[in-house]
């Protein structure tokens, strides 16, 4: 069997510098309700449903229904076990099951949509909330990027592609020598697909996320201009050896490979694209003096001419605001790890501190002697306040806010506290 060595410059270097920061999944609802939905590869949040899917050989669609106050499989059959293993063995015919990998589930016009990865490629499907009436809406003529967020705005969704090209380096190994990453628009009403960007082929490339700001798509584009051979490393295997050695140097890596992390703004009205510049300069020492890293941050949300973004560093995870008109930048919050969710113009923060004993390690740990703290930042009032809904021995990650209070994922506060089961959902009254 051929051994395939993958290389995504932004991810590998990101792991080296951000390994202690945890993951950040943004679920933002700062536009008019029902207008916009952030599309995570496995989940999304609308005004009355938190939709998710479990992907495997087969996928299962389910959601948390606020009115019913619990998890509901997208199946209306009576006496159905909704068990994926039983379905695969032919013991049930659960309507919540999709017989392929399913991604980007969301609800629009009272139908459940999802993108399927089948033998004939990717396609957008829809069904009723009870899983019946599964309908193939449109065939996608590109390879879907299933590792980055997209966005739904009104009756269109915006996702990205990633096509890879390989070359044999010896009898058993092949290296990635090229990639194409573009942004596409899928019209839910017209059932059409349209390519919006033309970044072209690079040695490696990925659209690391798509956000919405004043009817403009904010695209995080990260690429590597040179292959390992062109950069002087020979093969990926040799590059990886150097990457993990004591001789590794950010300056040499980024300059030799031509690594870029940029942000672009695509205007949906004029259909024109330009650099999205907020005057960002990274506080990470390894990045100092390196060009083309103006987009080395994560956009959380945008509101009232202000961009709210994150800069994760080892030992410090910071939330900033930047006003596009006044060019005023503010540091709003910082801690060792903080995970944010945006719902109804409020940023909810789950914060944890670092165990000082581990501060010099490659991946410092959470201080389990200091319980998690919770904060909210009101985008309209510009106010940060501490919330008091914690529970001893538990950590909560906010999913959404509804009329009753907060919908959260919960897990034990231990060495694995940054990991949680998507099915472990509860409501907290506020």
């Amino acid at each position: 069997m051929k051994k395939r060595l993958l290389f995504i410059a932004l991810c590998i270097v990101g792991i080296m510098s951000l390994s202690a920061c945890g993951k950040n999944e943004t679920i933002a609802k700062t536009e008019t309700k029902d207008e916009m939905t952030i599309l995570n590869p496995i989940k999304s949040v609308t005004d009355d449903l938190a939709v998710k899917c479990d992907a495997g050989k087969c996928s299962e669609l389910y959601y948390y229904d606020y009115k019913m106050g619990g998890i509901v499989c997208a199946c209306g059959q009576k006496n159905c076990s909704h068990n994926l293993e039983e379905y695969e063995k032919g013991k049930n015919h659960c309507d919540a099951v999709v017989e392929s990998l399913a991604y980007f589930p969301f609800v629009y016009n009272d139908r459940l949509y999802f993108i399927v990865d089948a033998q004939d490629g990717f396609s957008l499907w829809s069904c009723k909330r009870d899983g019946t009436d599964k309908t193939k809406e449109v065939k996608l003529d590109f390879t879907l990027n299933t590792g980055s967020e997209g966005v739904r705005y009104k009756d269109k969704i915006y996702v990205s592609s990633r096509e890879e090209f390989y070359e044999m380096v010896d009898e058993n190994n092949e290296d990635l020598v090229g990639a194409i990453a573009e942004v596409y628009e899928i019209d839910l009403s017209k059932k059409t697909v349209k390519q919006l960007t033309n970044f072209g082929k690079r040695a490696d490339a990925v659209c690391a996320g798509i956000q919405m700001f004043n009817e403009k798509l904010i695209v995080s584009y990260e690429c590597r201009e040179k292959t390992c051979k062109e950069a002087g490393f020979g093969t990926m295997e040799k590059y990886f050896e150097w990457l993990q050695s004591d001789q590794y140097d950010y300056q040499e890596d980024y300059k030799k490979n031509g690594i870029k992390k940029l942000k672009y703004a695509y205007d949906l009205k004029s259909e024109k694209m330009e650099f999205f510049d907020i005057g960002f300069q990274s506080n990470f020492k390894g990045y100092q003096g390196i060009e083309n890293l103006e987009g080395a941050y994560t956009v959380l949300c945008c509101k009232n001419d202000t961009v709210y973004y994150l800069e994760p560093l080892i030992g410090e995870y910071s939330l900033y605001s930047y006003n596009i008109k006044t060019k005023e930048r503010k540091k709003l919050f910082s801690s060792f790890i903080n995970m944010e969710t945006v719902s109804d113009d409020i940023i909810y923060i789950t914060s944890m501190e670092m165990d000082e004993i581990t501060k010099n390690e490659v991946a410092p740990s959470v201080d389990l002697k200091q319980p998690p703290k919770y904060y909210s930042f009101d985008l309209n009032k510009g106010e940060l306040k501490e919330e008091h809904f914690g529970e001893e021995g538990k950590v909560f990650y906010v999913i959404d806010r509804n009329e009753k209070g907060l919908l959260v994922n919960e897990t034990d506060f231990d060495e694995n506290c940054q990991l949680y089961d998507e099915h472990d959902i509860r409501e907290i009254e506020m």
Side-chain angles (χ1 to χ4, degrees), residues 107-263:
V107 171
Y108 174 71
N109 275 357
D110 208 35
R111 285 185 70 85
L112 179 57
Y113 285 80
F114 48 94
I115 296 177
V116 169
D117 180 8
Q119 291 184 348
D120 62 342
F122 291 92
S123 299
L124 177 69
W125 285 68
S126 76
C127 65
K128 293 181 180 180
R129 288 195 185 186
D130 63 2
T132 60
D133 190 31
K134 287 186 174 65
T135 304
K136 187 175 182 178
E137 299 286 346
V138 59
K139 177 79 167 61
L140 307 187
D141 57 359
F142 61 89
T143 301
L144 182 69
N145 172 16
T146 60
S148 301
E149 292 180 341
V151 64
R152 178 192 67 83
Y153 184 60
K154 296 181 178 178
D155 64 344
K156 298 178 177 65
I157 66 171
Y158 301 92
V159 292
S160 61
S161 68
R162 177 173 161 80
E163 185 176 0
E164 302 169 347
F165 303 89
Y166 293 87
E167 183 178 276
M168 295 298 299
V169 294
D170 57 42
E171 185 177 342
N172 299 312
N173 300 293
E174 57 182 358
D175 282 359
L176 178 69
V177 296
I180 298 175
E182 306 291 355
V183 176
Y184 286 81
E185 174 189 270
I186 304 174
D187 192 310
L188 303 178
S189 300
K190 298 179 181 179
K191 301 183 181 181
T192 57
V193 180
K194 178 181 178 182
Q195 181 177 328
L196 301 184
T197 62
N198 189 26
F199 292 118
K201 186 177 180 181
R202 299 287 189 271
D204 195 5
V206 65
C207 291
I210 304 172
Q211 262 281 9
M212 176 68 67
F213 183 28
N214 293 345
E215 295 199 347
K216 292 182 179 180
L217 298 177
I218 308 303
V219 180
S220 298
Y221 183 76
E222 306 184 5
C223 69
R224 177 171 54 96
E225 297 289 359
K226 296 181 179 180
T227 65
C228 286
K229 184 177 181 180
E230 293 169 340
F233 295 107
T235 65
M236 288 185 189
E237 191 167 20
K238 292 180 179 179
Y239 169 78
F240 277 122
E241 291 176 359
W242 174 72
L243 182 73
Q244 299 169 24
S245 71
D246 295 335
Q247 285 74 44
Y248 177 78
D249 179 74
Y250 280 97
Q251 299 279 337
E252 183 179 355
D253 186 10
Y254 276 57
K255 290 178 181 179
K256 279 189 174 181
N257 282 302
I259 296 173
K260 299 178 181 179
K261 298 185 178 185
L262 304 170
K263 293 285 191 295

Side-chain angles (χ1 to χ4, degrees), residues 66-69 402-406 427-430:
Y66 295 160
K67 294 179 180 178
M68 297 181 64
N402 57 38
E403 294 179 355
K404 296 179 181 178
L406 297 178
E427 289 192 67
I428 298 176
E429 293 187 6
M430 291 184 65

Side-chain angles (χ1 to χ4, degrees), residues 83-84 92 115 119 179 312 357:
N83 186 291
L84 194 56
N92 71 41
I115 296 177
Q119 291 184 348
I357 297 177

Side-chain angles (χ1 to χ4, degrees), residues 6 12 18 39 80 104 123 165 228 267 282 294 303 322 342 352 399 429:
L6 303 179
I12 291 173
L18 312 179
L39 304 179
C80 180
F104 298 103
S123 299
F165 303 89
C228 286
D267 192 309
S282 177
E294 295 91 339
K303 180 74 176 181
Y322 179 81
V342 187
M352 289 169 277
I399 300 171
E429 293 187 6

